């Protein structure tokens, strides 16, 4: 059975599905094996009785400057052209995140806001995004104050909850990415293309996998059939000569030969409410002394949200990832983890017909558009190999 397929793809999330479609359109027979009882991976959503598309694994907003990735996704969905805005509860007020001029105006006195705002514009220019680390290095006390304020009030407690680490343990590059935005544009993303699939991500991925050359197996643990021995791929104990694209955790694939990779997880607590709206926009961050990090209200992601009665929210509680108990959401960025991941990548590179794809397998952070772009490039490389 197995050798009747040109490629076996482990995982029916976005990474696996993009690769499967590309290969199928190149006239390759593809088998997609998924452990969960649904496709679309962590993009999976479902339509509730209230008519709300609920993102089971937390909010997903598609945004990109990569026109090729946008065009590829657009083949399988129509879009609600949604521009995401995030609020954060800071000193008792809900202000735009990332921290911008509107945030400062709400939190600082008029005189302080006028003085600091003018200095930021004069120093960096209106519309710029300045990393906290750069502000912290500035000699001006007002600019240092803004940097420390954002670091303490917006970044520090939220990040400690998210990663379960003390400030000293948090990689400095993480705080370095947190910007102060010198504008009044409250949008969270500024990419050319932004939206959410009109009928949900699950429907988009279903259409992606709807091809005569693709066969899908749900609720099947590929690692019960697939193994690696002597730098060769075996399926059901027999050598497999086709391509394998693996989107799961690489340490499991290699039977933890170089150790167990660390991930972080989330517990999402969903609530239904009778009132039409729970909060003033889709997502509110809670960086302070709360057990959860943010609340998402899903109906805002739909064009017809004003006509929907009642609402559904989720609270996100970060937690340690425990294999077999919860879901791996995020990689843990440490030197030790990256060294371990590098060993697994090298092991995979030693097997010509094995390819790692996506967040988990490559052990790196990917936005959805990056997953699509990387999948398209990977398949182009695989096709070239298959032709020789």
């Amino acid at each position: 059975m197995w050798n009747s397929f040109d490629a076996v793809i482990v995982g029916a999330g976005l990474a696996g599905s993009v690769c499967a479609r590309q290969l199928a359109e190149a006239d390759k027979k593809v088998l997609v094996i998924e452990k969960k009882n649904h496709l679309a991976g962590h993009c999976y959503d479902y339509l509730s009785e209230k008519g709300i598309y609920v993102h089971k694994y937390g909010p997903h907003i598609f945004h990109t400057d990569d026109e090729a990735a946008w065009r590829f996704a657009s083949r399988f969905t129509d879009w609600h052209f949604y521009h995401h805005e995030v609020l954060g509860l800071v000193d008792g007020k809900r202000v735009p995140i990332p921290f911008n001029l509107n945030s400062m105006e709400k939190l600082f006195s008029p005189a302080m806001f006028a003085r600091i705002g003018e200095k930021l514009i004069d120093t960096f220019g209106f519309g710029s995004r300045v990393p906290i680390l750069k502000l912290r290095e500035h000699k001006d006390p007002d600019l240092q104050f803004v940097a420390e304020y954002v670091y303490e009030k917006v970044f520090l407690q939220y990040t400690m909850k998210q990663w379960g680490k003390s400030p000293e343990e948090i990689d400095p590059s993480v705080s370095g990415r947190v910007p102060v935005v010198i504008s009044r544009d409250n949008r969270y993303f500024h990419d050319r293309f932004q939206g959410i699939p009109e009928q949900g991500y699950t429907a988009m991925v279903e259409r992606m996998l709807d091809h005569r050359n693709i066969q899908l197996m749900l609720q099947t643990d590929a690692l019960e059939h697939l193994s690696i021995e002597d730098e060769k791929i075996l399926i059901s104990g027999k050598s497999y000569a086709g391509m394998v694209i693996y989107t799961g955790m690489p340490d499991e694939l290699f039977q933890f030969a170089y150790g167990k990779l660390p991930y972080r997880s989330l517990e999402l607590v969903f609530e239904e409410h009778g009132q039409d709206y729970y909060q003033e926009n889709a997502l509110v961050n809670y960086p302070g002394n709360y057990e959860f990090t943010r609340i998402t209200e899903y109906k805002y992601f739909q064009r017809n949200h004003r006509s929907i009665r009642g609402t559904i929210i989720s609270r996100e509680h970060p937690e340690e990832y425990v294999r077999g108990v919860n879901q791996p959401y995020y990689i843990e960025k440490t030197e030790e983890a990256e060294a371990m991941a590098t060993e697994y990548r090298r092991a995979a590179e030693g097997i010509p017909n094995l390819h790692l794809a996506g967040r988990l397998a490559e052990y790196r952070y990917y936005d959805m558009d990056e997953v699509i772009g990387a999948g398209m490039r990977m398949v182009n490389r695989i096709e070239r190999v298959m032709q020789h």
Side-chain angles (χ1 to χ4, degrees):
M1 168 197 169
W2 305 101
N3 280 302
S4 64
F5 292 97
D6 299 301
V8 172
I9 296 178
V10 180
L14 191 57
S17 300
V18 168
C19 293
R21 183 70 186 207
Q22 293 280 95
L23 286 168
E25 291 180 350
D27 206 28
K28 307 298 181 187
K29 303 292 184 184
V30 183
L31 175 64
V32 179
I33 305 174
E34 171 56 55
K35 191 174 182 179
K36 293 183 175 70
N37 63 359
H38 61 75
L39 43 74
H42 282 180
C43 296
Y44 173 78
D45 52 20
Y46 61 91
L47 188 63
S48 74
E49 291 182 0
K50 293 180 182 294
I52 298 170
Y53 283 100
V54 178
H55 300 191
K56 181 178 179 179
Y57 301 98
H60 285 76
I61 295 92
F62 195 92
H63 58 97
T64 188
D65 281 324
D66 182 345
E67 188 168 354
W70 175 259
R71 287 183 181 278
F72 180 84
S74 298
R75 292 173 53 197
F76 309 103
T77 186
D78 294 322
W79 297 98
H80 167 38
F81 297 107
Y82 167 87
H83 287 258
H84 193 46
E85 295 186 13
V86 175
L87 296 177
L89 187 64
V90 178
D91 286 347
K93 297 180 180 178
R94 295 186 179 187
V95 300
I97 302 293
F99 205 80
N100 65 15
L101 295 176
N102 293 328
S103 313
M104 293 180 218
E105 190 170 28
K106 284 192 172 185
L107 291 166
F108 300 163
S109 71
M112 180 184 284
F113 167 68
R115 184 177 74 251
I116 293 177
E118 184 178 353
K119 282 186 179 181
L120 285 167
I121 294 169
D122 288 346
T123 305
F124 300 106
F126 187 83
S128 59
R129 298 169 67 89
V130 186
I132 286 179
L133 289 184
K134 187 173 181 180
L135 272 182
R136 279 180 133 185
E137 293 167 357
H138 208 280
K139 294 180 180 179
D140 185 281
D142 282 332
L143 300 186
Q144 286 184 350
F145 167 78
V146 172
E148 293 303 321
Y149 186 90
V150 175
Y151 180 80
E152 293 286 340
K153 301 284 188 177
V154 178
F155 167 78
L156 185 58
Q157 288 180 304
Y158 187 97
T159 304
M160 288 170 65
K161 287 190 290 184
Q162 183 75 8
W163 298 107
K165 295 181 184 296
S166 67
E168 294 75 24
E169 294 174 302
I170 296 169
D171 190 310
S173 68
V174 176
S175 63
R177 292 194 300 269
V178 177
V180 170
V181 182
I182 305 170
S183 80
R184 291 185 178 275
D185 185 345
N186 291 340
R187 292 179 303 161
Y188 197 80
F189 306 114
H190 294 85
D191 305 87
R192 277 196 302 160
F193 306 105
Q194 301 184 43
I196 294 177
E198 281 275 15
Q199 295 175 306
Y201 288 100
T202 303
M204 181 181 80
V205 174
E206 280 178 348
R207 294 184 190 116
M208 220 174 271
L209 293 173
D210 183 13
H211 192 283
R212 57 184 172 79
N213 286 334
I214 298 175
Q215 183 173 324
L216 175 65
M217 293 173 63
L218 295 177
Q219 293 182 276
T220 303
D221 186 349
L223 296 185
E224 292 180 359
H225 306 277
L226 185 151
S227 61
I228 294 172
E229 294 181 21
D230 299 324
E231 297 185 347
K232 293 182 180 178
I233 298 172
L234 303 181
I235 299 182
S236 296
K238 296 181 180 179
S239 179
Y240 177 70
M243 289 292 170
V244 171
I245 296 175
Y246 181 81
T247 70
M249 291 180 281
D251 52 358
E252 291 187 348
L253 175 63
F254 288 97
Q255 299 180 327
F256 309 106
Y258 306 104
K260 293 184 178 181
L261 286 166
Y263 298 86
R264 285 289 284 173
S265 188
L266 292 173
E267 179 189 13
L268 282 99
V269 179
F270 291 88
E271 301 173 7
E272 293 197 17
H273 292 272
Q275 72 259 38
D276 286 344
Y277 291 96
Y278 185 86
Q279 57 193 24
E280 54 265 60
N281 69 336
L283 204 149
V284 178
N285 285 357
Y286 289 79
N289 190 25
Y290 294 83
E291 290 183 356
F292 51 90
T293 51
R294 60 184 185 175
I295 295 177
T296 303
E297 186 164 5
Y298 292 95
K299 66 189 293 183
Y300 280 106
F301 295 152
Q302 295 171 225
R303 191 191 309 274
N304 65 334
H305 66 87
R306 290 184 181 84
S307 65
I308 298 173
R309 303 280 74 87
T311 193
I312 296 174
I313 67 166
S314 68
R315 302 175 194 266
E316 293 185 24
H317 300 257
E319 60 185 14
E320 180 183 355
Y321 168 63
V322 181
R323 291 173 193 271
V325 175
N326 52 17
Q327 294 287 321
Y329 278 81
Y330 307 107
I331 68 168
E332 289 204 14
K333 189 175 175 61
T334 66
E335 288 184 9
E336 182 183 2
E338 181 54 32
M340 201 185 304
T342 298
E343 292 293 336
Y344 285 116
R345 292 185 197 111
R346 285 174 181 160
E349 287 167 3
I351 303 168
N353 58 332
L354 174 64
H355 303 270
L356 304 181
R359 278 189 181 193
L360 293 182
E362 296 182 61
Y363 204 74
R364 59 165 291 180
Y365 184 84
Y366 269 132
D367 281 328
M368 286 183 285
D369 64 318
E370 294 172 315
V371 169
I372 292 174
M376 294 168 72
R377 290 189 296 273
M378 174 179 288
V379 170
N380 286 336
R381 292 195 301 271
I382 290 173
E383 285 185 282
R384 287 197 296 271
V385 171
M386 285 177 147
Q387 289 167 2
H388 287 86

